[in-house]
Amino acid sequence: MTEAELYTVYKGVQLAAHLHPPQGLKYFEEFSFRSDDIIIVTYPKSGTTWMQEIVPLIMSGGDPASVETLPNWRRVPWLEMYQSCTFNIEQRPSPRMLATHCQYNMMPPSFFKAKPKVIYVMRNPKDVFTSSFHYHRMASFLVNPGPQSEFLDKFLDGKVYFGSWFDHVKSWLNTEDKEHIMYISYEEMIMDLKDSVARIAQFLDKSLDAEVIEKIAERCLFKNMKQNKMSNYSTAPPEFLDQTNTEFLRKGIAGDWKNQLTVAEAEYFDAVYKDKMKDVKYKFVWD
Ligand code: A3P
């Protein structure tokens, strides 16, 4: 199907019409945040599902009940997904765990008043591109990516699902009220998951024994999380997500772009990155 058939534009950003019909976006706009909500914010393919495993385990003190019984999209629902309206989020006890792929400026008015806790996960955009390229081949609600070079142009131009990676990251880095935001990268989690879990727990004011932190980190290792049916999308209908050729939990490594991009494509990517990120002071792990 074509982009015109599959996509809708919301606040200047391309969304999947099937997942984000007007009623769903209205629900999102009118959503009432609480100040003790925990929001996982990511550009797609940056480690959302990983964080949807880690945060519930931290909040339950390591009890795996919720990650073993609820699919990730119910456990930590995306607010802008239409399906979330049916999850009784309003009735959930505090602290609620929520997710969004939206840019900062797309957040609804109540977010700016309540200032809930945000965990913003970033990933090397070349790996985001690589993961996204494969994901577009399996997700029926996204347009077929076509040849890699074409998809690369679209990605760098922000003409993809949830818009530009550059705009997304800059929007969340440039906020004024950073004290309620924790910034963490996929790469830091790959390098030291135990330390990352400990830092996230501290940000969430959860005091956990070293032993519990170790257990959570072990459970969230790629090889172990891949076995969790509630997190590997094996319960998602194949006509929605076709995992025959590539799995959702695909490689789970940092630097896979080296196997995906040609030298020329990587150089082109770097040149665009340098230009678009020239005013950003944040020190990324991959720079
Ligand atoms: P790859 O396609 O590079 O393997 P999102 O959840 O935001 O859509 O991101 C999906 C990416 O995160 C995929 O990357 C997936 O494999 C990776 N991922 C999910 N869980 C992970 C884990 N426990 N460890 C490492 N990577 C993980």
Side-chain angles (χ1 to χ4, degrees), residues 20 39 49 72 86 140 152 162 170-171 187 207 239 261 271:
H20 314 282
I39 329 285
T49 319
N72 60 302
T86 61
S140 62
L152 181 60
F162 278 97
K170 285 196 271 189
S171 79
E187 290 73 14
S207 151
E239 60 277 15
L261 298 177

Side-chain angles (χ1 to χ4, degrees), residues 27 31 38-40 52 71-81 83-85 87-89 92 96-100:
Y27 172 81
F31 187 77
I38 300 160
I39 329 285
I40 296 169
Q52 286 171 320
N72 60 302
W73 61 85
R74 270 187 185 268
R75 197 192 302 150
V76 188
W78 276 275
L79 288 170
E80 66 277 11
M81 299 277 177
Q83 219 191 359
S84 301
C85 320
F87 293 164
N88 278 327
I89 299 175
R92 290 190 180 186
R96 299 178 300 186
M97 295 169 285
L98 308 164
T100 182

Side-chain angles (χ1 to χ4, degrees), residues 38 54-63 95 97 204 206 208 216:
I38 300 160
I54 295 172
V55 171
L57 284 167
I58 289 177
M59 294 313 289
S60 68
D63 179 349
M97 295 169 285
L204 298 176
K206 264 314 252 191
L208 300 178
I216 296 175

Side-chain angles (χ1 to χ4, degrees), residues 151-202:
F151 188 63
L152 181 60
D153 282 335
K154 284 191 199 166
F155 181 87
L156 293 174
D157 211 15
K159 302 252 160 43
V160 284
Y161 188 44
F162 278 97
S164 155
W165 180 89
F166 303 99
D167 290 349
H168 201 287
V169 170
K170 285 196 271 189
S171 79
W172 282 98
L173 285 176
N174 290 340
T175 64
E176 272 166 22
D177 34 36
K178 290 203 179 59
E179 59 293 344
H180 66 108
I181 306 180
M182 173 182 187
Y183 298 96
I184 187 163
S185 66
Y186 180 96
E187 290 73 14
E188 286 166 86
M189 288 156 64
I190 289 281
M191 278 187 285
D192 193 340
L193 189 53
K194 218 164 44 166
D195 176 66
S196 302
V197 171
R199 281 166 47 215
I200 298 164
Q202 194 179 19

Side-chain angles (χ1 to χ4, degrees), residues 35-169:
S35 54
D36 55 4
D37 285 339
I38 300 160
I39 329 285
I40 296 169
V41 184
T42 54
Y43 183 83
K45 314 318 290 174
S46 300
T48 329
T49 319
W50 200 358
M51 208 45 100
Q52 286 171 320
E53 194 89 350
I54 295 172
V55 171
L57 284 167
I58 289 177
M59 294 313 289
S60 68
D63 179 349
S66 84
V67 300
E68 283 176 352
T69 52
L70 289 172
N72 60 302
W73 61 85
R74 270 187 185 268
R75 197 192 302 150
V76 188
W78 276 275
L79 288 170
E80 66 277 11
M81 299 277 177
Y82 179 47
Q83 219 191 359
S84 301
C85 320
T86 61
F87 293 164
N88 278 327
I89 299 175
E90 289 69 22
Q91 272 72 54
R92 290 190 180 186
S94 289
R96 299 178 300 186
M97 295 169 285
L98 308 164
T100 182
H101 282 320
C102 285
Q103 295 181 14
Y104 183 71
N105 45 300
M106 293 165 75
M107 294 303 284
S110 123
F111 173 83
F112 300 99
K113 286 202 195 93
K115 297 189 194 305
K117 282 201 162 99
V118 168
I119 301 174
Y120 186 65
V121 191
M122 298 168 275
R123 186 181 189 185
N124 182 334
K126 286 192 279 207
D127 281 336
V128 170
F129 167 81
T130 302
S131 181
S132 186
F133 183 63
H134 292 283
Y135 184 59
H136 275 67
R137 289 174 159 172
M138 56 176 119
S140 62
F141 53 91
L142 297 177
V143 83
N144 187 297
Q148 177 163 306
S149 59
E150 267 176 37
F151 188 63
L152 181 60
D153 282 335
K154 284 191 199 166
F155 181 87
L156 293 174
D157 211 15
K159 302 252 160 43
V160 284
Y161 188 44
F162 278 97
S164 155
W165 180 89
F166 303 99
D167 290 349
H168 201 287
V169 170

Side-chain angles (χ1 to χ4, degrees), residues 53 67-68 219 221-234 247 249:
E53 194 89 350
V67 300
E68 283 176 352
R219 207 191 155 92
L221 284 176
F222 184 74
K223 63 174 194 298
N224 297 334
M225 208 178 117
K226 209 172 151 75
Q227 308 306 321
N228 184 359
K229 287 194 182 66
M230 291 296 143
S231 305
N232 63 13
Y233 282 89
S234 57
E247 288 171 296
L249 290 172

